[in-house]
Amino acid sequence: MTANKSILLLPGDGIGPEAMAEVVKTADWMGQQRAVGFDTEEALVGGCSIDAAGVPITDAVMAKAMDADAVLLGAVGGPKWDAVDFAIRPEAGLLRLRKDLELFANLRPAMVFPALADASSLKRELVEGLDIMIVRELTGGVYFGEPRGIETLPDGQRRGVNTQVYTTSEIHRVAAVAFDLARKRGNLVHSVEKMNVMESGRLWREEVTKLHGEQFADVDLQHMLADNCAMQLVRNPKQFDVIVTDNLFGDMLSDEAAMLTGSLGMLPSASLGAADETGRRRALYEPVHGSAPDIAGQGLANPIAMLLSFAMMLRYSFDLGSEADLMETAVANVLNAGIRTADIATSDTKKVSTGEMGQAIRDEMERLSG
Ligand code: NAD
């Protein structure tokens, strides 16, 4: 018998713990009904860690994150900690996790469940059934490049500098993640840069093309300029399968794609590191939304983004694609049945609490498996 997969659960602040509670119940259900066991451990990150230990993440929790097969995070932050020292603000815990785990590839799916197509700002026919994966390079590019800073010039003007910089290996490793994903999806990758005006963009295009020819020639590769990609995402989003791009363009294009889906409470994400010699990748899964302090503790939070983050973990860290499919189908069916948390409810649907939504999804998983 193989050892259980170990998951470090970091519920965090605000609605994080409420949403995470639904994951814990779902993981328990899987242990009982599908013979898929997980060893889970909970720890503190963000504001709750500042309250308990004076820092947003302790070295001991970081060590647990390093050892776990995967980390699942709720959300961090809230007005209670707005005044704490910048260096130990709640978000610093999340940044340390991403940095120390060396998570260089951020995966943001933009999926539109048919039942929610009307929540998009685009027309139903443009987004219904949409399923895009944006792979954003997360640890390089202009957000980290040197030189950087603000200087005062001899004539008294001030000058701000940031540097867009990428190396071959940084481009290859994130492109390889995108090609691997495409093989499990629609087999199409759009690589996005600005090679018409940026040398780093030209290098990006050349290196993606080279890697494609050497290792991924079976995947369909298209290149697109970032400004055109922004336009195409609202003109005809269903032309895309996997989009791979740098840190800056990925920041914007992933938010743009997210809005095609209409609701923050529905969006999961994953951040992946390099594979070790056994093929295991460090990985952090988390909903895109924040801690939503305005609704925390009231049973109003939509747990679906959190549950879909867990489904991504099943698929990408544990190769449990059929369990991930089961969860995603259950979510689609529950939404089709008109069961909604307040953020996605309409006048003709049934409004339920966080716990009731989680239970409805588990009931549907049970029905689908039966
Ligand atoms: P937010 O995502 O927390 O909330 C934005 C709006 O969306 C709110 O009205 C909220 O009620 C709603 N919302 C978000 N998730 C929801 C869900 N699952 N169900 C129902 N409604 C939901 O963003 P914000 O208000 O800008 O930030 C609040 C706090 O969260 C801040 O302290 C911010 O720094 C932090 N934050 C954390 C993360 C993270 O942990 N990754 C990300 C973004 C913001």
Side-chain angles (χ1 to χ4, degrees):
M1 203 180 126
T2 53
N4 281 348
K5 306 291 185 191
S6 66
I7 308 176
L8 180 66
L9 303 175
L10 301 172
D13 308 315
I15 61 169
E18 303 162 55
M20 187 68 84
E22 300 311 312
V23 170
V24 171
K25 288 181 200 158
T26 306
D28 286 348
W29 181 90
M30 287 202 171
Q32 286 158 19
Q33 305 293 326
R34 310 271 296 187
V36 186
F38 304 101
D39 290 332
T40 57
E41 186 177 359
E42 263 190 41
L44 301 179
V45 69
C48 56
S49 175
I50 297 174
D51 290 348
V55 287
I57 190 161
T58 62
D59 291 344
V61 174
M62 257 329 298
K64 287 182 205 284
M66 292 290 204
D67 283 346
D69 289 318
V71 180
L72 187 63
L73 182 126
V76 298
K80 182 177 175 197
W81 303 282
D82 277 353
V84 301
D85 181 11
F86 190 73
I88 59 144
R89 70 199 186 284
E91 289 76 9
L94 187 49
L95 294 178
R96 182 170 173 202
L97 271 168
R98 288 181 184 153
K99 181 162 172 284
D100 289 8
L101 296 175
E102 293 179 71
L103 306 172
F104 63 84
N106 182 227
L107 277 51
R108 293 252 309 248
M111 269 164 48
V112 175
F113 290 98
L116 294 186
D118 290 327
S120 171
S121 46
L122 296 192
K123 294 190 203 94
R124 170 177 276 274
E125 60 268 27
L126 283 181
V127 295
E128 190 170 8
L130 182 77
D131 183 6
I132 304 178
M133 177 71 83
I134 301 205
V135 180
R136 164 187 171 192
E137 200 291 326
L138 202 57
T139 52
V142 73
Y143 293 167
F144 297 96
E146 298 282 347
R148 61 186 299 158
I150 300 177
E151 60 181 347
T152 302
L153 300 173
D155 68 358
Q157 287 197 76
R158 296 207 303 154
R159 180 171 177 262
V161 177
N162 290 93
T163 304
Q164 166 82 336
V165 54
Y166 274 108
T167 60
T168 313
S169 59
E170 286 175 314
I171 297 168
H172 283 197
R173 64 183 186 174
V174 73
V177 168
F179 286 127
D180 271 336
L181 283 169
R183 278 181 174 158
K184 295 179 192 156
R185 298 170 42 98
N187 213 40
L188 169 63
V189 170
H190 279 82
S191 171
V192 170
E193 29 56 18
K194 285 282 288 175
M195 63 88 73
N196 53 340
V197 285
M198 297 169 77
E199 282 75 9
S200 57
R202 208 170 76 218
L203 182 79
W204 184 282
R205 187 173 291 206
E206 287 170 6
E207 291 302 329
V208 171
T209 304
K210 185 158 171 252
L211 180 75
H212 175 253
E214 286 168 3
Q215 293 180 36
F216 299 98
D218 55 302
V219 179
D220 190 4
L221 170 64
Q222 312 251 347
H223 300 281
M224 194 176 265
L225 297 177
D227 47 343
N228 186 27
C229 183
M231 193 172 73
Q232 296 296 333
L233 272 172
V234 286
R235 196 183 75 84
N236 177 18
K238 282 195 246 177
Q239 71 185 286
F240 297 108
D241 175 27
V242 176
I243 294 173
V244 62
T245 189
D246 73 17
N247 203 343
L248 173 66
F249 297 138
D251 194 357
M252 293 173 202
L253 295 173
S254 61
D255 270 10
E256 186 190 356
M259 275 327 291
L260 302 177
T261 72
S263 175
L264 210 47
M266 300 289 302
L267 295 168
S269 78
S271 301
L272 306 179
D276 65 15
E277 57 286 351
T278 67
R280 190 187 83 142
R281 278 183 192 279
R282 292 230 165 90
L284 171 74
Y285 298 83
E286 55 182 318
V288 168
H289 63 70
S291 59
D294 52 333
I295 57 165
Q298 301 169 46
L300 291 174
N302 183 347
I304 293 179
M306 186 85 245
L307 287 165
L308 292 178
S309 301
F310 178 57
M312 284 186 87
M313 173 186 287
L314 298 179
R315 178 168 281 123
Y316 297 121
S317 280
F318 302 149
D319 229 356
L320 292 169
S322 52
E323 274 69 25
D325 287 345
L326 175 67
M327 285 187 71
E328 288 165 5
T329 307
V331 168
N333 291 355
V334 163
L335 294 172
N336 256 338
I339 296 170
R340 307 284 165 84
T341 43
D343 56 316
I344 50 172
T346 51
S347 56
D348 55 346
T349 55
K350 180 176 177 221
K351 208 189 283 182
V352 297
S353 68
T354 310
E356 287 165 340
M357 177 58 95
Q359 188 59 50
I361 293 167
R362 285 188 298 282
D363 289 347
E364 182 60 13
M365 287 165 62
E366 178 106 31
R367 196 189 67 77
L368 288 165
S369 323

